[in-house]
Amino acid sequence: MDNDISIESNSENLISDEAGDQQILKRSTSKVPIILNIRYKTQTFPIECDLYDTLKDLKEKIDKLTDVDPQVQKLVNKTITSVKHDDATTTLKDLNITDGQTLLLVGATRSDILSTTRGAVSSTDHKESTDDQVLTHKKEPLCKQTKHEKVLKAGKPDNAQIGIRNKNDPLPQSIDGLLMSMLNQSAKKARLTFKLELDELWINTAETTKKIPMTHIRNVVDEPIEGHDGYSIVGFQTGTTENSIIWIYWCPSQFVKSIRREILSDH
């Protein structure tokens, strides 16, 4: 009886040893160390890994070196990009990756993504702020805006022609062209002259003459001056921004439509 028990015990030990050998054999075959070169931007990172590592294992190691989140990592290699795979179960061996191979990494770092996100938010905020300012300016009368209000405080020129509201008159004629006296944006007395033979608009002050080709004027904007019936602010827009507008003040309102027609009718 004792011998039988002894034999069974020895059999158990034998089975245990054989199982242990199989486990050791399995572990030894899974250990195939390789080195891969990961090229990212201008740098190349050598990474020690195992042939039986999964893509998930590899991407986690790459993350530590590059700060590129595994979820945004794209490894460029024929076998990787041409086969659908599960990162958690697909091994490097499954993809025929070999020792010393170079893989190209594509993806933005976390800091790059954060910077881009902040930039986009900042850009959106700036655009919304700018839009709000534009809307504010559109709602606010020109004569109430600081830069225009400053000029208007200089007062109407003594020789300004009488302004008439709700009337459209042809531009006054003279030997020099079409004239009227008013203030320019520097709060200086100015004369507006249409040189039709030159297709130019001249703005004359005592010191200078600004000559503007009519073909350069994209638009003519105008608005009545509050509290001064019969007078308007007129702007000649030569570019695409508000800064490109040349402003004239105390223009008799009865000439505004004729000014617009004279400048824009041919363009």
Side-chain angles (χ1 to χ4, degrees):
M1 183 71 64
D2 293 339
N3 290 337
D4 291 342
I5 294 175
S6 177
I7 292 172
E8 290 176 1
S9 178
N10 289 338
S11 298
E12 290 175 358
N13 291 337
L14 180 60
I15 293 172
S16 177
D17 289 342
E18 288 176 351
D21 290 341
Q22 289 176 355
Q23 292 173 359
I24 293 172
L25 180 61
K26 184 177 180 180
R27 284 196 301 269
S28 65
T29 55
S30 68
K31 291 294 182 181
V32 183
I34 61 173
I35 295 179
L36 296 180
N37 297 306
I38 306 301
R39 184 176 298 165
Y40 183 59
K41 296 182 178 180
T42 60
Q43 294 180 286
T44 299
F45 301 92
I47 295 183
E48 295 183 0
C49 47
D50 191 273
L51 192 60
Y52 289 88
D53 282 349
T54 63
L55 273 177
K56 181 175 180 293
D57 296 330
L58 176 60
K59 289 184 176 183
E60 287 176 351
K61 292 179 180 179
I62 292 174
D63 181 14
K64 293 177 181 179
L65 292 174
T66 63
D67 193 38
V68 179
D69 192 300
Q71 293 185 353
V72 301
Q73 288 181 28
K74 180 179 179 181
L75 294 170
V76 179
N77 172 278
K78 287 184 179 180
T79 56
I80 294 178
T81 55
S82 62
V83 178
K84 292 184 179 180
H85 50 73
D86 179 0
D87 287 2
T89 59
T90 303
T91 67
L92 303 182
K93 186 177 186 303
D94 294 334
L95 297 171
N96 297 319
I97 302 295
T98 58
D99 183 36
Q101 198 165 356
T102 298
L103 305 179
L104 178 65
L105 171 64
V106 179
T109 64
R110 289 179 177 83
S111 57
D112 286 343
I113 293 174
L114 182 60
S115 176
T116 301
T117 302
R118 286 176 176 171
V121 171
S122 176
S123 177
T124 301
D125 290 345
H126 175 72
K127 183 179 184 302
E128 290 177 351
S129 175
T130 302
D131 290 345
D132 288 343
Q133 291 176 9
V134 170
L135 289 174
T136 300
H137 285 174
K138 286 182 178 179
K139 293 177 181 178
E140 186 179 26
L142 291 174
C143 60
K144 298 295 184 181
Q145 295 177 24
T146 302
K147 66 178 181 180
H148 300 301
E149 191 176 30
K150 180 180 178 181
V151 177
L152 293 174
K153 282 182 178 179
K156 183 176 61 177
D158 296 335
N159 62 343
Q161 187 171 339
I162 294 175
I164 305 174
R165 185 179 62 174
N166 298 328
K167 187 178 181 183
N168 298 320
D169 285 347
L171 293 171
Q173 299 291 325
S174 79
I175 191 170
D176 292 328
L178 307 169
L179 313 176
M180 60 185 66
S181 297
M182 56 197 69
L183 289 179
N184 68 1
Q185 56 197 12
S186 299
K188 294 181 180 179
K189 290 183 179 181
R191 171 183 288 183
L192 194 68
T193 306
F194 288 82
K195 292 289 185 178
L196 301 181
E197 70 279 10
L198 301 175
D199 199 26
E200 291 180 344
L201 173 65
W202 288 13
I203 301 176
N204 309 85
T205 66
E207 298 86 10
T208 63
T209 297
K210 187 176 184 65
K211 301 178 180 181
I212 310 169
M214 291 193 195
T215 54
H216 289 184
I217 299 176
R218 294 167 174 259
N219 192 23
V220 177
V221 296
D222 66 273
E223 187 175 295
I225 300 174
E226 291 185 2
H228 299 276
D229 284 350
Y231 293 96
S232 298
I233 299 173
V234 178
F236 305 104
Q237 185 172 352
T238 59
T240 58
T241 65
E242 187 176 349
N243 290 333
S244 69
I245 300 177
I246 300 168
W247 296 100
I248 292 292
Y249 303 85
W250 302 106
C251 175
S253 298
Q254 67 268 27
F255 296 131
V256 170
K257 283 193 175 181
S258 293
I259 290 173
R260 176 186 293 276
R261 188 183 309 113
E262 193 67 52
I263 294 175
L264 301 178
S265 60
D266 297 331
H267 315 307

